[in-house]
Amino acid sequence: MASAVEFFTKGRAPAALVSATRARGEVPDALRIALVGACILAFWNHAPLADLSDRDILETSTAGSWTTQVVFLALGFAMAAALRQLGIDKLRPLLTWPLVVLAGWMGLTLLTSVEPLLSIRRFLLFAIVTMLAAGIPVVMRSVRQFALTLAIAALIILAASYLAVAFLPQLAIHSADFDLINEPEHEGLWRGIFAHKNEAGGAMALMILTGLFVASALSRFWGITIVLLAAVFLAAANSKSVIALLPFIILAPSLCGLVRSRWLRAAILLGPVALVSLFSLGSVFFPPIRDGLHGILPDTSFTGRTEIWEFAASHIAERPVFGWGFGAFWGTERTRFGTSDALSWVTKTSQAHNTYLDVGLIMGLPGLVMTLAAFVVAPLRDLQRIAPAGRIDPATLYFLRLWLLALAGGSFESVLYTPSAAICCMFMLAVFGLRLRASYRTVQG
């Protein structure tokens, strides 16, 4: 029987690690797959078939979804039990200075929030998602078992989405006749079991990356099947930013396997991300950049959300140190009804459509710096420890692609610290997966 240590290491694990693992309690494979599979399904879609004709979606609410809370609480208890059985000490490598300092700052900003109770309540869901993401690599016995679990979850999501389009089109296809939030340009676009075509597009990008991993680690047939089904659905959803970014997300991590220099790897992965941010945010806040790009790209925001970015930046300037608090800005009565009528359409949005601006709103500029240190710089260092000689194994490559998808997509959508977003959940899994693989490889020597 394969050891759980096999998930973290390539090749034969050291005898000390194997002995320590066997000394712990055992969890049957069926339960491992069921628990992680349920977590992945909840990450990807925990509220299927949203009814956009329900007038409740037009109301301001800070209560959250009871269904979501119950689902994640149940999964949280199940994961806690599994980690207790397998050994909570396996999570010790996650106690790095960047993550500990960031967690401390987040705790402080909960207390300085403009609405502390709301921030604490909304933070609890993120804390549960974080625990689930950290526990998944520990629960999985091997990379092959992980790939099998992901394949099952992906096929369930894809099958449900296609069946919804076929038999429940009013709940699975954007329509001016049913959608109360009328977006004429989305007429006829698929959303499947997701609430919006952009949410569906992000999930399909995750399916494609998952299919590539399954093809390399488990089964070429099932992996390619997942990729093709997800690609067709992504085209029908017409999520333009995801479609544009996906080739880079797939190819850049693969190119890192051809070089050894950490600086060159960083340039390959983060250079294009920085350029996208320069073309988008930079063109809004720096007139010389805007003037230089205007003739080439008339809409450098790519999403037509320039006013939202300016609105978000102006409110970061009001509370630059501690921010407004976790979940205490967008979707609250203070934001929706506390500004002029000229900006009423801006205040109705649920996010800044830029991860980095939203982090500044949540935790201030110090929180943004800490986030970059913990979630951008540290994973690059972990990559170098895992694969210093060039070639990158399938699991590490999968985590790297998930990580890059969130960073690149963050220029157009808010994904970090958004526990209801599939990309955020998988990003946390990727960061913790890279950290654990780097730590156990160091022990392996």
Side-chain angles (χ1 to χ4, degrees):
M1 183 177 291
S3 166
V5 178
E6 190 178 304
F7 182 87
F8 303 112
T9 57
K10 297 188 295 179
R12 183 180 299 275
L17 283 178
V18 174
S19 299
T21 300
R22 289 175 177 171
R24 296 293 184 181
E26 185 54 63
V27 175
D29 285 345
L31 289 181
R32 292 174 187 260
I33 293 173
L35 174 57
V36 172
C39 291
I40 296 297
L41 287 173
F43 283 178
W44 287 344
N45 191 314
H46 53 269
L49 295 174
D51 184 2
L52 299 187
S53 65
D54 186 350
R55 304 195 71 85
D56 288 344
I57 64 176
L58 301 177
E59 302 296 327
T60 299
S61 175
T62 59
S65 167
W66 280 104
T67 302
T68 298
Q69 294 170 18
V70 170
V71 167
F72 279 97
L73 275 174
L75 289 174
F77 281 119
M79 180 61 75
L83 291 175
R84 183 175 182 275
Q85 180 77 1
L86 294 170
I88 196 72
D89 57 300
K90 291 186 177 67
L91 296 179
R92 190 172 295 132
L94 300 182
L95 297 178
T96 61
W97 278 111
L99 288 173
V100 170
V101 170
L102 175 60
W105 184 260
M106 290 182 71
L108 179 60
T109 59
L110 291 178
L111 301 178
T112 60
S113 169
V114 293
E115 297 187 47
L117 293 180
L118 174 62
S119 290
I120 292 171
R121 190 169 74 245
R122 288 185 166 177
F123 174 77
L124 289 177
L125 178 59
F126 178 74
I128 294 173
V129 166
T130 298
M131 184 189 72
L132 296 177
I136 285 174
V138 173
V139 172
M140 288 284 88
R141 189 185 296 279
S142 66
V143 170
R144 185 176 177 83
Q145 187 180 81
F146 184 47
L148 173 62
T149 307
L150 286 169
I152 294 171
L155 290 170
I156 290 173
I157 292 289
L158 289 167
S161 293
Y162 274 101
L163 288 172
V165 168
F167 298 107
L168 296 170
Q170 72 275 16
L171 296 177
I173 300 176
H174 282 290
S175 169
D177 296 330
F178 292 98
D179 298 4
L180 288 181
I181 301 178
N182 190 13
E183 297 174 290
E185 69 275 15
H186 296 165
E187 177 78 20
L189 298 181
W190 291 8
R191 60 185 179 93
I193 61 174
F194 300 91
H196 193 274
K197 66 100 177 178
N198 286 341
E199 186 179 333
M204 291 305 128
L206 292 173
M207 301 297 119
I208 290 173
L209 300 183
T210 298
L212 293 174
F213 170 56
V214 170
S216 61
L218 179 69
S219 165
R220 189 177 300 274
F221 171 80
W222 287 113
I224 293 175
T225 298
I226 291 170
V227 169
L228 292 178
L229 288 173
V232 171
F233 204 101
L234 177 59
N238 194 30
S239 185
K240 296 178 182 177
S241 59
V242 172
I243 293 173
L245 290 172
L246 203 52
F248 162 68
I249 303 299
I250 293 172
L251 293 176
S254 298
L255 290 177
C256 288
L258 303 178
V259 298
R260 299 187 180 188
S261 168
R262 68 175 62 193
W263 299 109
L264 185 54
R265 285 180 168 184
I268 291 172
L269 294 171
L270 300 182
V273 175
L275 285 176
V276 170
S277 295
L278 181 66
F279 289 160
S280 52
L281 284 181
S283 65
V284 173
F285 300 114
F286 300 102
I289 297 177
R290 180 177 62 243
D291 296 340
L293 292 174
H294 184 71
I296 304 173
L297 298 172
D299 178 21
T300 49
S301 74
F302 298 97
T303 57
R305 301 306 174 100
T306 299
E307 291 86 352
I308 297 177
W309 292 347
E310 292 174 341
F311 179 76
S314 67
H315 283 78
I316 292 174
E318 291 181 16
R319 296 176 63 91
V321 179
F322 296 107
W324 292 77
F326 195 96
F329 186 76
W330 301 110
T332 62
E333 292 186 0
R334 177 194 302 272
T335 300
R336 285 202 174 188
F337 306 115
T339 55
S340 65
D341 292 338
L343 290 174
S344 61
W345 77 272
V346 171
T347 61
K348 291 178 182 178
T349 188
S350 60
Q351 54 167 291
H353 289 276
N354 184 280
T355 274
Y356 310 104
L357 286 177
D358 265 330
V359 173
L361 284 169
I362 291 172
M363 296 187 292
L365 297 180
L368 176 58
V369 173
M370 295 175 195
T371 295
L372 295 177
F375 292 155
V376 178
V377 177
L380 282 174
R381 185 180 64 242
D382 290 335
L383 169 63
Q384 199 64 18
R385 291 175 177 172
I386 298 168
R391 185 181 180 279
I392 302 175
D393 64 276
T396 300
L397 188 62
Y398 179 56
F399 289 145
L400 199 57
R401 285 169 172 166
L402 294 175
W403 172 78
L404 191 58
L405 175 63
L407 295 184
S411 295
F412 308 106
E413 298 292 335
S414 296
V415 291
L416 302 187
Y417 305 117
T418 308
S420 59
I423 293 179
C424 170
C425 298
M426 298 303 286
F427 173 79
M428 298 304 296
L429 171 60
V431 170
F432 295 148
L434 290 171
R435 176 86 281 275
L436 289 168
R437 290 179 72 79
S439 176
Y440 275 87
R441 181 176 175 83
T442 301
V443 173
Q444 185 185 18

